[in-house]
Amino acid sequence: MRKILTLLMCIVLGIAQLNAQSQTATGKVTDDKGAAVSGATVTEKGTKNGAATSSDGSFTLKVKQGATLVISSLGFETREVAAATVVNVQLATDVKVLSDVVVTGVGYATSKKKLPISVETIGGDKLAATSTTSVAQALVGKVAGAQITSKEGTPGAPLNILLRGINSLRGGTYPMILVDGVEVRATDLGTLDLNNVDRIEVVEGAASSTIYGAQGANGVIQVFTKRGKEGQTKIDFSTSYASSSFINSGNLHQATTHGFLTDANNNVVDKNGVILAIKPDGTLTSGVNINGQTQAGLVWASTNPNTDGSKLYDHNLKYYDHLAQLFQSAATINNSLSISGAAGKNDFAMTLTHNHQESVIRDNGALDRTNFSANVGTELFKGFKLRSITQLVYSKNNFNPYFTAGVSGTFFRALNTSPFFDFNWKDANGDYPYSLVATPVSVNGYNPNYYKEYVFGYDQTIDVIQNIQASYKVNHFLDLEAKYGINYENEQQNVTYKNQTQNINLISLSSAGIGYFNGKEGSIGNFEYNTTFQNALTTATLHLDLAKDFHVKVPIVSNTQVGYDYRKNVYKQYYTYGDGLGLYPIYNMQQTSTQTISSDYVRPFVTFGTYLSESLDWGNVAGIRGGFRSDYSSAFGSGSTPQTFYNGNAYFRISQLGFWDKLASVIPEFKLRGGYGEAGIQPGAFDRYVTLSTRTIGTNLAFYTPSVQSNPNLNVEVSRESEIGTDLTVNLSKGKWFSNATFSGTYWKRTSKDVIYQVDAPPSTGGAGYLTNSFSLSSNGVTFILNLNVVKTRDFNWDFTANFNHQSSQIDAISTGQPIVVTSGAGYGNYVLQAGSKIGQLYGLKTFHDVNQTKQDGSLYISQANVGKYQVVNGILVDTATRGIQFTNQNYSYGDPNPKFNMAFINNFSYKGISLSFQLDWVHGSHLYNQMKEWMYRDGIHGDYGNKITINGQTAAFSAFYTSAYADMFGSINGARNSIKDYFFEDASFLRLRNLSIGFDVLRYTKIKYFKKLQFVLTGRNLWTLTKYTGMDPETSSGTTNSGFDRGVDYATTPNNRTYQVGLNIGF
Amino acid sequence: MKNKILYIITATVILLGQSCSKDELNVQNPNSPTPASAQTESGIEALGLGAVYQNGFNGISDSRYTGSWLGSDYFFLGPAYMDLLGDVISAEAANNITNQIGVPDYYIDDKGNTVSNTAPALGVARLNNSRTKAGSNMYFYEWAWMYYLNNACNGILAIVDGTTFSGDATTKKNTLKAWAYFWKGYAYSHIGSLYYAGLIKDNYVTTNNNFVSSAAMITAANANFDLAIAALGAVPTTADYNKVLAYLIPTPCQVGKGGLLTPTMWIHNINTMKARNLLVNKTVATMTSTDWNNVLTLANSGITSTDLVFTGRSSATNSWLSATSGSVAALTVGNPSSTTYKISERLIQDYKTGDKRFATNFSNANLYLNQKGGITYSTRYTLLDVASSSTAGTLGGVASKVVGNYELFIAGSYEENELMKAEANIMLSNIATGLTSVDNVRTYQGSGLAATSGVITDPALAYEELRKERRVGLLFRGLSFYDARRWGVITDIAQGGTGRKNCVVVSTTGTVNVNATINYHFLDYWDVPDDEISLNPPSANSAPVVNPKK
């Protein structure tokens, strides 16, 4: 190493000294905001004489009298000025896009013009100012090549991120997250503070795998935090208040009418005519009611073809709007203070943000998150810089454990409670009843207030992201850089169940209530999770310009980077439970009668490797890159050999060729690019280690064989990707309107081999399955970005951006040749993973649309003789006698639920200090299985039951029609309950006004002393949705977050919020 | 200065390089023992415990199947299918198609009207015999649980001879062998008594595709029981035997009728199982006097009233059996409007007037009208938790959700053995002797019923006493389907079955019929589940895996 350095030093010193000059020009280079531009190149035009600006932007250069200085810097428009004794130059940001500087995926700052792969950059000011101040939320719709979906509305819930196709079935689709060059694995993207983000770069494909290794196969999102800039110390303060309410774009509601047995006065009565009333236990089942009368229970002839569900709840049973009883409008309050500045060789930026988000579920507490970040840098001596970037995050929510992120059960139960139950009704003891059953309806009815009365808990997380970087620009040729990052997360959850033994409802129903162990005696669960992730990256980059440095007459610039990358992740979990709490209000472990530890688990994972990347650029015209990376992994143990993967890519700027000069005024930029990359996804930490599981049974330890066997012969999953693309700038007119447009398009294709997934074993083996390299997958997609400068005048500016993304993934082969059945994380809905079909398909029964429906063997379901018994109603076939919808009794695939494409349309207007921007997101061709609706059909609770239809000339809200959708299949009334039916598989395409923001800059109109910025901002998020989907929110998904295949089920997930926000931004 | 920094950087690089030596990659799973850990005295005991109570009775953990469960472990579902088909309980929820597979094809009500099931259960069960139907495939469960149990026992047998023991190694090895062979016999008995074909699989993990008939499975079951008897015969030291057995049988289960069985008691338990294997796998009509004599011989050396048996009990913590959702009984206790399983009217009518067990266990406080299909589901009866029952004591009590209260009978019991004696004797025309056994069971369970021995002399009436007592006395012991099968009750009337006559059916609107006829029409032996067949297709010389009956 030292030898190399010495050698390089010699090369530097060997370079010819410059000739004597006749004038000294000194000056400072700043950007359009007055901040110093360091590292800018100042050259004497027509010569090789030049200098670079120092960190305060200053330079000194001896030039000939009357010379012209050329000042250039990456990301800025190059300027030429006449040399003078003092030359202060302000550089304008290069607005012809494609000129941004990109680091991610290439390893060192590179102009986008010379980038052979697609990397998307989003400036901090272009991110949506969401009330959640979550980086993840702010990215929705902003990244052309990504599908980022806000799959649930609970504050703090993670988002589904899919960059390029499905690579891995077990690993999911979550990309690698980098913060300032170092991987962050413990902390979720949604936890990072939006206020300190300078810009975000997204590399979607595997083409960057050489830099990031196996973990980069799902793409990389890199967040760059703000740094202090030269000038006066800046103090920025922003505050905002937002009000959120749940989205219900499909108008999901419970039926406001019913079809129960009633007397002449429209009282709901039992079979003997007794007017029904609630029982002392809060239920409406048979027994003695609060009026002292013995009732036999509600009568609902749901399959009787004459039952009409359009009776009003206007006598003994009333209608309660359960959504109104469950939800509220919630406040979100944000405060953020930033101080930044730079002087001489030091810079600093600090941000303190506090975010308070209430739950839209009534009386459900709030999420509080405090982020502190500090980015300090110094140049110890010329070329040697040290930087420390710290982010500390403390998050705590006191959401009810039954209404927290990822939990849908209670919401489901509330919606599945018949609307004649009042959630606010309390029994004689002042307690809420648990089960709100009214057999034969409301079977899964449970009072959400019961959970609030008897369960509480908290979830607190501490995140630390510490990143230390040292870089040394040894000389013109060589950059050395060492980065070390530690990312630590500690999460503590507590769930406490109070003693429920005195609850009248539980006693009456012999119900176990809720809790660990055996329910109603009360219990406590404490869960602790720790992740410590370390990433160390050292690189050496050698820049050689053959023309400049060696006077060779070829315009070749070479950049060589070697890197060494080390990552270690240690995950720990520890669960303790206590059983049995007294009736007195003290709730800690010491009050429990027995305690047990159910998990004490540690999972270390180490990987390290080296890489080499070489790029050669031919002037501004073309370039090629190539490299490889070799990684060791603890998944394979110490005796393993490293896995090596290659990549290569190239670009060609046709617009830089001589013949193009005539076209250059119309099409100043036309670039073709292409790349190939490989990445390996390593097996899980212990996937290869055969172990026995343990548990305690009674008082003794037991060993047992795990149901899914690990496999010592697993290989790494290999993903290979190719992309081709073009970047194009067109000058449309010379006027103010449509002056120019830039277009960027990429087509990509990837295959994944040896994808690890559990395959089924026959039960006689004694287990459910084993892990193996079982799947081959392939994906492809197209991404377009169009930026259009619609108008640009002195006062009025209008920019338009359209992002388009299409992608599709399919299963090419499964090693066993057998389809694999997987249940949705939502608990219901079977996916079948089958060779030759798209990933994530649901299988189920099909609705008949005419009498000619055939079975899978081609024979007809309905014989010619019986054709007359059926009628098509609203496009579906109904038996006119039973009024039931006809369904097949065999399963069919419903096709790919993933969107055909997603688009975003972003408009920014500014007029004299008033800015207006809005973003429309369009997701087309996605489908959701509306599991919630199906469940609400079961007991006649769904609003559809009040809708009238016409069958055989008779019009009524036929209960039998709707009930059949839940219960029937061909030839079998009630024979297919719980079955998946395409009746509930709905188009979930939507167009959503994601963001609407109006800003007013006060200082534009009146100067106020000390104030540098005073801006009012009104923001609306998710204000409007256009969809055919009949559930609450077409964007939600109840499947496992970031799953490769589990994205197609909606099972009572908390919908997203509609938010109105008012904000104030102040700068000093 | 510059050089210093360079040295620092270089040193950092080298240091990092050092710390990332390949040794650091040697990360074994630090959380779990390896298979080698089981090959020690304490290890194999832990394996023996886990083999039965975890791999066996809690072995299905795949969410495709467990995702739709309303209970936990084998005993909430495996025996529930028996009791659904045996018309002891019913279910309204569609989970695991428990609401459909027990619905008869039709019943004829008191007015002579035929009320038909639009979804005949036999067809529904077969339509769901597909791996892609996952949790709705009834045929999967018993098969999987029993083969998980069998495989785990093979794991014990594979290493027991190579394991070093302290003390009397022969005794300890034989105790573990008896344990493994007994549970293998148990698993094979369950497969052979329920499926049309099965697999004899005596290797650990590796399976085969030579399916054999259910009769051959029973032969294999009895062979394993005999190996267990042989191993128990080679147990000279009781202290070491007790030490091992005290580990193998969970401590919470070592109370009541459960506990550390002596080798003799264990052999009695095995004989009862062998008698059961013979009794339940032939219809009564085809039983010969030789068969009855064989049943009698085995039962005469079967479980006595003072023998301990294999039981399950819940405990507050570290329980393998859930008090509230781990058994058919637990899921039936309570107001039928909100329980998973509901008591059948046909069970209730089998209680004789004055039977104290009826008052102990049932009330008619809640009417449950099944208005969602399931033509025979409605019931007027509620199963009581004996812990909260106001009636005298818990003698003869069959259900409780209170931790540790409920005693689950896993294998044979004194009552079952005594009733096999009774049945054999009645069929061999020893009516009084047979009815004495019936009376013994009634007394044992505190029924308060008058003795029948010597009072009833008519063979048919005597057999009716036996039939009722099997229904009532062996409630929730997983035998009701076997009985319904051998009595011809489940066979389609059109195919020569008896169905059930003169029975109580409460209609969906609450009309009580007392003289109804039910035609069940269920499959006698189940087809092998597709979950096995599709992944392990039968070899050419395999026995048929699909029951030809329709």
Side-chain angles (χ1 to χ4, degrees), chain A residues 725-759:
Chain A
T726 182
D727 299 321
L728 190 68
T729 304
V730 184
N731 291 335
L732 296 169
S733 79
K734 290 200 161 48
K736 290 168 181 168
W737 287 81
F738 301 106
S739 57
N740 70 63
T742 61
F743 171 84
S744 181
T746 305
Y747 170 80
W748 56 269
K749 196 176 171 216
R750 77 192 315 179
T751 57
S752 298
K753 293 263 184 276
D754 288 338
V755 175
I756 299 167
Y757 202 73
Q758 168 196 340
V759 295

Side-chain angles (χ1 to χ4, degrees), chain A residues 2 286 300 384 440 510 564 566 602 608 692 695 698-699 701 760 764 818-819 821 939 971-975, chain B residues 5 7 20 24 31 33 46 54-55 64 100 118-119 131 201 207 247 251 318 337 367 371-372 401 403 532 534:
Chain A
R2 206 181 149 204
S286 63
W300 183 45
F384 185 85
S510 302
Y564 178 81
Y566 167 85
V602 57
F608 53 80
L692 291 170
R695 66 163 290 190
T699 52
L701 182 74
D760 293 347
S764 64
Q818 287 290 338
V821 184
D939 294 347
S972 168
I973 290 175
N974 204 39
Chain B
I5 300 293
Y7 280 128
C20 312
E24 206 188 346
N31 305 291
Q54 181 60 32
N55 274 131
R64 278 178 289 174
Q100 295 174 60
T118 58
R131 199 164 67 89
K201 196 210 94 147
T207 188
Y247 198 97
T251 328
N318 299 321
S337 290
L367 172 69
Q371 301 174 43
K372 292 184 181 172
K401 286 162 92 170
V403 174
E532 179 75 33
S534 64

Side-chain angles (χ1 to χ4, degrees), chain A residues 1-2 5 271 279 285-287 296 298-303 380-382 384 435 437 439-441 443 470 472 474 480 482 508-512 517-518 536 538 564 566 568 579 594-596 600-604 606-608 632-634 637-641 685-686 689-707 709 758 760-768 818-823 827-828 830 832 845 889 891 938-939 966 969 971-978, chain B residues 1-2 5-7 9-10 12-13 16-17 19-35 37-38 42-43 45-47 49-51 53-55 58-59 61-65 67-68 92-95 99-100 118-120 124 127 131-135 140 143-144 147-148 151-152 199 201 204-208 246-252 315-320 322-324 333-335 337-338 365-369 371-374 385 401 403 509-510 531-532 534-536:
Chain A
M1 188 73 187
R2 206 181 149 204
L5 290 175
K271 68 188 179 78
K279 288 167 60 188
T285 55
S286 63
L298 198 128
V299 180
W300 183 45
S302 61
T303 54
L380 279 184
F381 57 85
K382 191 166 163 49
F384 185 85
S435 175
V437 65
T439 312
V441 297
V443 170
Y472 184 45
V474 179
L480 298 177
S508 165
L509 297 172
S510 302
S511 169
F517 308 100
N518 297 297
T538 48
Y564 178 81
Y566 167 85
K568 180 173 185 178
D579 181 31
T594 46
Q595 299 81 32
T596 175
D600 182 1
Y601 177 83
V602 57
R603 188 179 63 222
V606 180
T607 179
F608 53 80
Y632 287 96
S633 162
S634 64
S638 59
S640 70
T641 49
F686 304 140
Y689 297 101
V690 179
T691 57
L692 291 170
S693 301
T694 58
R695 66 163 290 190
T696 303
I697 294 175
T699 52
N700 291 333
L701 182 74
F703 289 171
Y704 62 98
T705 318
S707 181
Q709 300 282 340
Q758 168 196 340
D760 293 347
S764 64
T765 58
Q818 287 290 338
I820 291 175
V821 184
V822 196
T823 304
Y828 296 93
N830 283 344
V832 180
L845 310 182
N889 53 25
N891 276 354
R938 187 192 59 177
D939 294 347
Y966 169 76
M969 61 185 178
S972 168
I973 290 175
N974 204 39
R977 296 167 65 193
N978 268 17
Chain B
M1 180 68 182
K2 274 188 194 178
I5 300 293
L6 278 177
Y7 280 128
I9 293 174
T10 314
T12 311
V13 171
L16 280 170
S19 73
C20 312
S21 73
K22 284 181 73 182
D23 290 344
E24 206 188 346
L25 298 174
N26 195 17
V27 177
Q28 298 287 333
N29 186 341
N31 305 291
S32 306
T34 60
S37 319
S42 62
E45 285 177 354
L47 194 67
L49 174 64
Y53 300 96
Q54 181 60 32
N55 274 131
N58 280 289
S61 57
D62 190 326
S63 64
R64 278 178 289 174
Y65 302 101
S68 53
E92 186 250 295
N95 303 54
N99 66 328
Q100 295 174 60
T118 58
V124 169
L127 203 60
R131 199 164 67 89
T132 60
K133 297 269 175 129
F140 167 79
W143 182 275
Y147 276 108
Y148 289 2
N151 180 63
L199 285 165
K201 196 210 94 147
Y204 184 55
V205 182
T206 327
T207 188
N208 65 72
Y247 198 97
L248 295 175
I249 296 176
T251 328
S315 53
T317 50
N318 299 321
S319 186
W320 66 274
S322 163
T324 52
V333 164
N335 184 335
S337 290
S338 55
N366 303 287
L367 172 69
Y368 166 73
L369 293 183
Q371 301 174 43
K372 292 184 181 172
D385 188 321
K401 286 162 92 170
V403 174
T509 55
D531 308 66
E532 179 75 33
S534 64
L535 298 169
N536 186 26

Side-chain angles (χ1 to χ4, degrees), chain A residues 29 202 291 333 446 524 558 589 623 935 974 1000 1006 1049:
Chain A
V29 180
V202 181
N291 300 328
I333 300 162
Y446 294 89
I524 297 177
S558 157
M589 245 345 151
W935 279 109
N974 204 39
F1000 176 64
T1006 170
V1049 177

Side-chain angles (χ1 to χ4, degrees), chain B residues 147 184-185 188-189 191-193 195-202 210-224 277 281 525 542-543:
Chain B
Y147 276 108
K184 274 179 70 68
Y188 285 173
S189 298
I191 295 294
S193 300
Y195 290 94
Y196 201 67
L199 285 165
I200 298 167
K201 196 210 94 147
D202 296 329
N210 302 314
F211 290 83
V212 299
S213 69
S214 55
M217 285 309 298
I218 295 298
T219 306
N222 290 336
N224 277 286
N277 279 346
N281 285 299
Y525 284 84
S542 281

